[in-house]
């Protein structure tokens, strides 16, 4: 393939063969792969090249000559410019089919498995695929002299101001907009990366879908900003359900949302959310699934993937606020969890106490380090449940799992590519029973997956 065969600005007819991991259509022009934003499988379009690379090019749709039966009109007014969603133009039932296919694509690319022999189930979706996100992170920028909030345009740092976001719980948007308006009234400025001026970087809001509680986090450049006390007085007057206001200080310009220092400005350091029959206290930086209703379905699939007698010892790797381990705790003898974020471990410990769970303990550290230290102590779990970040399993943890050989392993993944990479290693000692995709993020190209693995009795040497 040679990207030099096409040039930026060139247009040509293109037949879309498949859709890719970012929700783009994939076609071929003169043996060059063309990734086309906004195109759907089976469509014939006129594509206009926007970027050229050695082995592929990127294009946009200029005209649709043959339209897919699954194309729908996106309901969001800023869908074309905002980078938050990729699939609003695709019928929801077809989104679920696509997410299963994205898993298959990753397995084809990163493994040598016989895909036809793998049991890949249909994607578990939502009845109502909008208004599901219980947490928002809106960037702040100065636009025409006013502090505005929104999301970045696709592949840029240009802010798209947003008054409403259809995948967000409406309460998160309402609170974000109110915070923005009060900051404007007080003359507080958004941070400017180029000029290194201003205070507000990001406004983070989390609401308890079941509890109704809300937490607001202002991510700022400086520890102190003018009008802070007036802001607290006004926002708490407008929102009596606001139980926690935190300020996180981030001085550098890295791509991370949060900095290392967090201070309580009002109320409690945590807010409470419920999941199944459990209550969880969540601090500002604690990880908690963004789609609570689907999270219950996801964890139910984790439970279904396990064979339990009540005597098992279980490791909850990448435990966050302890959600998965505590969900399973009453069905096993012992739960051990670990997380690199100290606040999350404190949350998990408190959450165990809050729910009267005495057989769960949590340790600060990387999954690799903590698991290895337990291994040195002679501890061998019966079950390991892993729910790693998008980067997948740490190599040391992967090696440790293959050495310790727990009988049951459940892999909860948010990234098909790293899942496939890790399964290629785990398959040396584990049999992949099935993969169950779950749609945690409708309207986006992201897919979560629960994989059931059991130890092979006689693994083949490789």
């Amino acid at each position: 393939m040679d990207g030099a065969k096409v040039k930026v600005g060139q247009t040509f007819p293109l037949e879309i063969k498949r859709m890719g991991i970012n929700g783009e259509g994939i076609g071929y022009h003169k043996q060059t792969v063309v990734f086309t934003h906004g195109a759907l499988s089976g469509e014939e379009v006129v594509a206009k090249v926007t970027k050229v690379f050695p082995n592929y090019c990127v294009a946009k749709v200029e005209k649709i000559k043959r339209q897919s039966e699954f194309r729908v009109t996106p309901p969001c007014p800023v869908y074309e410019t905002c980078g938050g969603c990729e699939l609003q133009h695709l019928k929801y039932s077809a989104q679920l089919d696509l997410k299963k296919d994205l898993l298959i694509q990753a397995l084809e690319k990163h493994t040598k498995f016989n895909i036809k022999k793998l049991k890949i189930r249909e994607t578990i979706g939502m009845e109502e695929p909008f208004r599901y996100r219980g947490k928002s992170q809106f960037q702040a920028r100065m636009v025409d002299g006013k502090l505005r909030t929104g999301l970045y345009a696709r592949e840029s740092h240009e802010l798209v101001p947003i008054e409403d976001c259809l995948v967000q719980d409406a309460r998160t948007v309402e609170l974000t907009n109110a915070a923005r308006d009060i900051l404007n009234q007080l003359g507080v400025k958004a941070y400017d990366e180029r000029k290194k001026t201003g205070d507000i970087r990001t406004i983070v809001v989390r609401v308890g879908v079941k509890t109704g509680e809300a937490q607001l986090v202002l991510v700022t450049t400086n520890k102190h900003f003018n009008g802070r006390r007036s802001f607290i007085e006004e926002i708490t007057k407008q929102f009596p359900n606001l139980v926690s206001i935190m300020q996180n200080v981030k001085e550098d310009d890295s791509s991370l949302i949060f900095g290392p220092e967090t201070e309580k400005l009002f109320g409690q350091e945590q807010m409470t959310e419920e999941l199944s029959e459990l209550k969880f206290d969540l601090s500002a930086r604690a990880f908690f699934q963004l789609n609570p209703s689907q999270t219950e379905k996801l964890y139910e699939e984790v439970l279904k993937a396990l064979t339990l007698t009540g005597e098992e010892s279980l490791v909850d790797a990448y435990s966050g606020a302890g959600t998965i381990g505590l969900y399973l705790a009453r069905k096993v003898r012992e739960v051990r969890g670990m997380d690199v974020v100290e606040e999350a471990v404190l949350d998990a410990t408190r959450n165990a106490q809050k729910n009267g769970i005495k057989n769960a303990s949590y340790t600060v550290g990387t999954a690799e380090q903590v698991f290895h230290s337990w291994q040195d102590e002679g501890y061998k779990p019966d079950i390991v449940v892993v729910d790693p970040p998008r980067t997948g399993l740490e190599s040391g943890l992967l090696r440790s799992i293959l050495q310790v050989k727990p009988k049951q392993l459940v892999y909860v993944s948010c990234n098909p590519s790293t899942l496939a990479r890790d399964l290629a290693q785990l398959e040396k000692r584990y049999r992949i029973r099935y993969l169950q995709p779950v749609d945690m993020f409708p309207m986006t190209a992201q897919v979560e997956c629960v994989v059931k693995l059991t130890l092979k009795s006689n693994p083949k040497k490789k």
Side-chain angles (χ1 to χ4, degrees):
M1 286 179 274
D2 184 3
K5 289 181 180 178
V6 296
K7 296 179 180 179
V8 172
Q10 184 178 348
T11 61
F12 44 74
L14 190 70
E15 185 174 352
I16 307 302
K17 301 291 188 182
R18 204 172 193 177
M19 291 180 70
I21 59 172
N22 297 310
E24 72 278 68
I26 300 174
Y28 299 88
H29 177 73
K30 295 182 178 178
Q31 296 184 304
T32 298
V33 182
V34 185
F35 295 100
T36 309
H37 293 295
L40 300 177
S41 293
E43 291 188 332
E44 287 184 10
V45 303
V46 175
K48 183 175 183 179
V49 179
T50 57
K51 293 180 182 178
V52 175
F53 298 91
N55 296 320
Y56 66 95
C57 69
V58 177
K60 64 178 182 179
V61 176
E62 282 285 281
K63 183 182 178 182
I64 300 174
K65 297 175 72 176
R66 186 182 73 211
Q67 182 172 293
S68 167
E69 61 181 303
F70 300 113
R71 179 175 285 277
V72 293
T73 301
C76 175
V78 295
Y79 174 66
E80 300 297 337
T81 52
C82 169
C85 297
E86 302 91 14
L87 298 177
Q88 281 194 26
H89 61 299
L90 179 62
K91 188 177 179 181
Y92 187 57
S93 60
Q95 290 184 32
L96 300 180
D97 293 338
L98 169 63
K99 296 190 180 196
K100 178 179 176 179
D101 188 59
L102 293 179
L103 272 178
I104 293 170
Q105 288 185 49
L107 292 163
E108 288 173 342
K109 183 176 180 180
H110 298 286
T111 77
K112 295 180 180 178
F113 298 159
N114 183 336
I115 307 298
K116 291 180 180 178
K117 288 189 176 181
L118 284 178
K119 189 174 181 181
I120 305 174
R121 297 177 172 178
E122 298 303 315
T123 308
I124 297 172
M126 297 188 72
E127 289 180 15
E128 175 46 63
F130 288 99
R131 299 293 186 193
Y132 59 83
R133 289 179 68 104
K135 182 182 179 183
S136 62
Q137 296 178 162
F138 279 21
Q139 306 302 320
R141 289 286 185 275
M142 298 304 294
V143 179
D144 297 330
K146 282 192 170 186
L147 188 153
R148 302 294 300 273
T149 52
L151 298 173
Y152 292 133
R154 187 178 288 110
E155 297 178 3
S156 85
H157 251 218
E158 184 180 337
L159 189 80
V160 178
I162 293 175
E163 287 297 318
D164 190 14
C165 178
L166 300 182
V167 297
Q168 286 291 154
D169 185 305
R171 293 169 293 181
T172 66
V173 180
E174 184 184 6
L175 185 46
T176 300
N177 290 349
R180 174 203 65 198
D181 293 345
I182 294 168
L183 290 168
N184 267 318
Q185 290 164 14
L186 295 170
V188 181
K189 305 294 185 186
Y191 177 66
D192 187 310
E193 285 183 357
R194 288 191 296 270
K195 297 178 181 177
K196 308 297 180 189
T197 58
D199 293 301
I200 308 298
R201 289 176 176 268
T202 311
I203 297 176
V204 181
V205 173
R206 178 148 44 192
V207 297
V209 173
K210 289 191 176 179
T211 63
E213 292 186 1
Q215 181 184 65
L216 170 67
V217 185
L218 297 178
V219 182
T220 63
T221 304
N222 305 300
K223 192 166 186 179
H224 301 286
F225 63 90
N226 291 330
R228 191 166 78 167
R229 181 169 296 181
S230 299
F231 172 81
I232 295 167
E233 289 175 359
E234 185 58 34
I235 197 76
T236 52
K237 193 189 305 178
Q238 291 186 30
F239 293 89
N241 65 327
L242 192 52
V243 299
S244 173
I245 301 178
M246 308 294 290
Q247 181 183 354
N248 177 268
V249 181
K250 179 176 179 289
E251 295 178 344
D252 63 63
D253 287 337
S254 70
S255 59
L256 298 174
I257 294 291
F258 291 114
E261 185 180 354
T262 306
E263 176 188 355
K264 182 180 76 173
L265 300 184
F266 168 83
Q268 307 155 189
E269 293 196 358
Q270 296 88 24
M271 59 157 281
T272 303
E273 177 61 307
E274 295 178 7
L275 192 63
S276 190
E277 297 176 356
L278 301 172
K279 293 180 184 291
F280 292 94
D281 286 342
L282 306 173
S283 60
R285 294 177 61 205
F287 171 77
F288 191 79
Q289 293 283 3
L290 298 174
N291 186 338
S293 63
Q294 286 295 90
T295 298
E296 292 192 4
K297 294 180 185 177
L298 182 76
Y299 291 177
E300 188 62 28
E301 290 304 317
V302 174
L303 178 58
K304 287 178 184 177
L306 296 171
T307 302
L308 301 176
T309 65
E311 293 302 314
E312 291 80 12
S313 175
L314 181 146
V315 166
D316 176 12
Y318 310 94
S319 54
T323 48
I324 291 180
L326 295 179
Y327 187 87
L328 300 170
R330 292 194 174 100
K331 301 181 186 299
V332 297
R333 176 172 53 82
E334 176 193 21
V335 171
R336 293 190 185 191
M338 79 286 275
D339 200 282
V340 72
V341 178
E342 184 177 3
E343 294 101 311
V345 169
L346 291 172
D347 282 345
T349 303
R350 276 191 294 263
N351 289 330
Q353 295 168 350
K354 189 181 187 78
N355 291 283
I357 294 172
K358 298 178 181 179
N359 64 337
S361 59
Y362 295 89
T363 304
V364 179
T366 66
E368 176 180 350
Q369 291 167 342
V370 175
F371 197 84
H372 188 68
S373 68
W374 290 341
Q375 193 179 354
D376 289 344
E377 295 168 7
Y379 171 71
K380 181 179 178 179
D382 302 296
I383 299 167
V384 173
V385 177
V386 296
D387 185 8
R390 293 189 64 77
T391 48
L393 296 181
E394 298 160 65
S395 57
L397 176 63
L398 192 58
R399 284 195 299 272
S400 293
I401 290 172
L402 291 171
Q403 287 169 5
V404 174
K405 303 190 287 288
K407 291 180 181 178
Q408 299 182 66
L409 175 63
V410 177
Y411 194 135
V412 183
S413 166
C414 61
N415 184 340
S417 295
T418 53
L419 171 65
R421 179 203 69 194
D422 292 342
L423 288 179
Q425 295 301 311
L426 291 168
E427 195 267 341
K428 294 172 183 175
R429 289 196 176 274
Y430 284 87
R431 181 169 286 108
I432 301 168
R433 296 295 184 177
Y434 62 77
L435 296 90
Q436 175 61 71
V438 181
D439 187 18
M440 299 292 286
F441 303 103
M443 308 301 142
T444 79
Q446 295 181 59
V447 57
E448 206 96 357
C449 186
V450 175
V451 186
K452 176 177 180 173
L453 302 105
T454 55
L455 191 66
K456 291 178 180 177
S457 53
N458 293 300
K460 295 176 184 177
K461 292 183 179 180
K462 293 188 179 182

